[in-house]
């Protein structure tokens, strides 16, 4: 049978990896897919560079629309990234009846609803395994492997750059800025690292997993997003002494909520988190990714691997190419739905505002070391319905008159914690902005 012809938009690191792995493993891939898969046209703004990378046998064009208009192309791989140009091209490819494989998490998390509706209408597939956790087949696991289950929660280390920075801060006692510089020198972090360090990249990925896990539309705009740029090395150290590691987690969870008609809602949040050191996920170090899923039948499962990089991401792109190759002749109604649930069976469970979320907390206060301070602070916590789990007092490096007070709380309502923090921060004996980091037991 004639090989499937694929058009590639954007020849960067992942595009190069896709070429290399398709070439190296072409026989195995053909035996799995049932026919060969060949990238025959690529579009890149820098045509000279692209020609150097893909060789003579592949046609290189400067205008992506030429790839989309090419009648010989069945599948378009979008590796341009970003929300704007990529969105127009993906919608144009769908309109032209092409199946689309993309690694673009931002595009799916923000415009997924519109893109899936267009694909559904046109009877084509949109595949995005590479968009979440790179080489880990987490979309496949959630959408197909766990299809028997009612998923309860997902917690993932889904940004390698921030995990590398946190590992360096813990291992070497580095400040955030120094660890970020090391990540940039190693090529993990971009020159503008905002999306990684401020949690946006992880929130894109958590949004996509949330939609597939619970059959809700992608709702990036409702995600709570907090990054790691304000984390201090001393909190990583104190957490360690208390038996925890600090990780940037993408969390999505089904929770009971009596105040709303459906009695259930979904949490969708990305923020630094204390995780018990004894959990496997707490020991995921460096730029590695890991996703933990709690589901009713299977229990806890954990998926670990490289979340970025040329060939790990190419591995996910090619898995999607094989899926499309196998399924393109199937009746569109019998294919695996994009978000795991049939489009007419989506749920309308709402995303819980952060102030309605329950978690426990690590608090660090720099306080004047004088009589009655602890009593005032614990008094405010008690009035706002916050129960204390543990307290640790340590002298600060700066002065003998002040001390670090570390408080671990039991689970409480975020709105209550906000109210308590405002009152405690206003106390004269509280000498610096309070550090507040959420805590998850993941059990
Ligand atoms: N920048 C991401 C990370 C990889 O550091 O994990 C692509 O999503």
């Amino acid at each position: 049978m004639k090989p499937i012809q694929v058009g590639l938009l954007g020849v960067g690191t992942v595009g190069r990896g896709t070429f290399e792995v398709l070439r190296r493993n072409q026989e195995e891939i053909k035996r799995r897919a049932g026919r060969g898969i060949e990238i025959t046209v690529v579009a890149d703004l820098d045509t000279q560079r692209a020609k150097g990378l893909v060789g003579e046998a592949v046609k290189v064009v400067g205008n992506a629309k030429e790839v989309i208009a090419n009648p010989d192309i069945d599948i378009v791989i979008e590796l341009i990234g970003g929300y704007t140009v990529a969105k127009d091209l993906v919608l144009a490819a769908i309109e032209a009846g092409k199946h689309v494989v993309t690694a673009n998490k931002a595009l799916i998390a923000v415009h997924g609803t519109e893109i899936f509706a267009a694909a559904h209408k046109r009877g084509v597939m949109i595949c995005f395994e590479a968009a979440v956790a790179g080489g880990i087949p987490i979309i496949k696991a959630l959408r197909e492997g766990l299809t028997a289950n009612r998923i309860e929660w997902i917690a993932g280390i889904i940004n390698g750059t921030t995990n590398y920075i946190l590992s360096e801060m813990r291992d070497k006692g580095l400040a955030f800025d120094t660890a970020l510089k090391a990540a940039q020198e190693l090529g993990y972090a971009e020159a503008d690292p905002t999306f990684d360090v401020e949690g946006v990249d992880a929130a894109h990925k958590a949004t996509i997993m949330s939609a597939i896990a619970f059959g809700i539309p992608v709702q990036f705009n409702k995600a709570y997003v907090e990054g790691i740029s304000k984390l201090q090395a001393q909190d990583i150290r104190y957490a360690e002494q208390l038996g925890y590691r600090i990780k940037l987690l993408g969390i999505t969870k089904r929770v009971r909520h009596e105040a709303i008609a459906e009695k259930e809602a979904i949490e969708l949040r990305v923020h630094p988190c204390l995780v018990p050191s004894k959990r496997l996920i707490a020991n995921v170090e460096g730029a590695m990714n890991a996703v933990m899923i709690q589901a009713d039948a299977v229990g806890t499962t954990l998926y670990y691997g490289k979340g970025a990089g040329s060939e790990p991401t190419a591995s996910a792109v090619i898995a999607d190419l094989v899926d499309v190759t196998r399924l393109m002749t199937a009746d569109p109604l019998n294919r695996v739905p994009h978000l795991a649930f049939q489009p007419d069976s989506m749920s309308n469970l709402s995303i819980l505002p952060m102030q309605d979320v329950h978690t426990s907390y690590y608090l660090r206060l720099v306080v004047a070391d004088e009589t009655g301070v602890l009593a005032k602070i614990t008094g405010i916590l008690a009035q706002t319905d916050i129960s204390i789990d543990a307290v640790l007092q340590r002298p600060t490096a700066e002065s003998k008159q002040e001390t670090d007070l570390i408080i671990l709380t039991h689970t409480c309502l975020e709105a209550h914690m906000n109210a308590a923090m405002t009152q405690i921060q206003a106390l004269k004996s509280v000498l610096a902005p309070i550090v507040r980091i959420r805590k998850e037991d993941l059990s």
Side-chain angles (χ1 to χ4, degrees):
M1 198 187 269
K2 200 163 118 307
I4 284 283
Q5 296 198 32
V6 179
L8 169 64
L9 312 183
V11 197
T13 313
V14 178
R16 264 200 338 263
T18 305
F19 262 98
E20 173 56 23
V21 178
L22 268 179
R23 188 199 54 72
R24 194 171 70 228
N25 298 339
Q26 58 182 314
E27 277 314 310
E28 298 240 359
I29 291 167
K30 184 175 171 186
R31 282 169 58 210
R32 291 184 172 121
R35 60 195 284 197
I37 298 175
E38 284 177 5
I39 299 175
T40 52
V41 195
V42 308
D44 200 283
L45 290 177
D46 189 342
T47 48
Q48 282 316 313
R49 197 184 117 273
K51 275 183 188 149
L53 291 172
V54 302
E56 291 300 310
V58 180
K59 185 173 170 195
V60 177
V61 296
N63 184 351
K65 296 217 166 111
E66 270 188 58
V67 177
I68 291 168
N70 186 327
D72 296 329
I73 296 294
D74 290 307
I75 310 173
V76 171
I77 308 176
E78 183 275 306
L79 297 176
I80 295 171
Y83 307 96
T84 49
V85 177
K87 181 187 172 200
D88 293 344
L89 291 172
V90 164
L91 287 173
I94 292 169
E95 189 54 40
K98 316 287 186 199
H99 304 283
V100 175
V101 172
T102 178
N104 191 334
K105 61 228 87 175
L107 180 68
I108 299 297
V110 176
H111 298 296
T113 301
E114 183 183 349
I115 289 169
F116 296 138
H120 187 62
K121 194 164 149 219
R122 198 67 178 77
V124 296
M125 289 171 267
I126 303 292
C127 300
F128 47 93
E129 183 65 71
V132 182
I136 305 175
I138 196 67
I139 302 293
K140 193 84 168 174
L142 273 169
R143 195 159 55 184
E144 298 174 49
L146 299 177
T147 202
N149 289 264
R150 181 180 155 88
I151 291 170
E152 298 300 340
W153 54 259
I154 302 174
I157 295 172
I158 43 182
N159 183 272
T161 305
T162 44
N163 203 51
Y164 174 82
I165 292 172
L166 291 175
S167 299
E168 288 289 286
M169 288 175 77
R170 189 182 71 84
D171 278 354
K172 302 182 181 153
L174 299 181
F176 169 80
D177 289 337
T178 318
L180 170 61
K181 214 157 151 258
Q184 283 171 321
E185 278 160 15
L186 282 170
Y188 291 138
E190 306 284 339
D192 176 1
T194 314
F195 265 34
D196 287 326
V197 300
E198 298 306 345
V200 179
D201 176 77
H204 287 146
K205 295 165 182 168
T207 299
I208 297 171
M209 290 197 290
S210 177
I212 296 175
F214 304 117
I216 56 172
V218 284
Q219 295 167 78
F220 173 71
N221 59 347
K222 306 244 177 79
Y224 173 81
V225 190
E226 184 185 315
I228 63 163
S229 59
K230 296 195 176 64
L231 274 185
Q232 298 172 45
Q234 73 218 72
D235 295 304
I236 294 178
R237 225 171 29 245
Y238 284 138
E240 189 98 26
Q241 288 169 20
L242 291 158
Y244 295 88
R245 295 220 173 141
I246 298 181
K247 294 290 178 190
L248 181 71
L249 291 186
I251 297 173
T252 185
K253 197 183 272 191
R254 185 199 298 275
V255 285
R256 294 284 303 161
H257 203 275
E258 293 306 327
I260 54 177
E262 293 81 11
K263 301 284 178 236
E264 270 192 352
I266 303 297
E267 291 179 7
L268 176 56
R269 47 192 169 98
V270 169
H271 51 73
C273 228
L274 268 76
V275 179
S277 308
K278 62 186 177 204
R279 300 266 176 272
L280 276 176
I281 197 166
N283 294 280
V284 171
E285 296 292 357
M288 300 304 280
N289 280 202
V291 180
M292 200 172 168
I293 302 178
Q294 180 69 34
D296 69 339
V298 72
T300 309
T301 52
L302 179 69
Y303 309 81
Y304 170 85
K306 288 186 178 158
S310 180
E311 292 204 3
T313 313
S315 163
V317 168
I318 295 169
D320 280 347
L321 291 177
V322 172
D323 260 1
V324 174
T325 304
R326 286 172 177 154
L327 290 171
M328 59 196 299
T329 52
D331 176 348
L333 294 177
N334 291 333
R335 295 180 188 142
V336 182
H338 292 115
L339 291 179
F341 293 77
Q342 298 296 340
D344 59 0
S345 299
M346 296 293 280
S347 152
N348 60 1
L349 290 182
S350 53
I351 306 283
L352 212 53
M354 197 59 198
Q355 60 172 5
D356 292 340
V357 166
H358 284 82
T359 58
S360 51
Y361 290 86
Y362 160 102
L363 306 172
R364 179 170 60 83
L365 301 88
V366 182
V367 296
D369 196 1
E370 57 197 24
T371 314
V373 176
L374 188 55
K376 279 187 204 147
I377 292 167
T378 55
I380 293 171
L381 291 174
Q383 278 159 25
T384 36
D385 209 15
I386 298 169
S387 169
I388 293 170
D389 181 25
V391 178
L392 183 71
Q393 184 170 327
R394 288 282 181 272
T396 64
E398 280 75 31
S399 151
K400 285 207 167 59
Q401 277 75 52
E402 61 182 45
T403 184
D404 272 336
L405 195 60
I406 295 103
I407 301 176
L408 298 185
T409 75
H410 287 296
T411 301
C412 65
L413 187 67
E414 176 101 0
H416 289 170
M417 181 54 79
N418 293 342
M421 287 302 96
T422 308
Q423 290 182 55
I424 295 172
Q425 190 70 74
L427 294 174
K428 266 217 318 273
S429 349
V430 175
L431 307 174
I434 301 169
V435 173
R436 162 166 52 153
I437 308 172
R438 297 173 189 87
K439 190 160 86 54
E440 290 284 338
D441 279 343
L442 303 182
S443 55

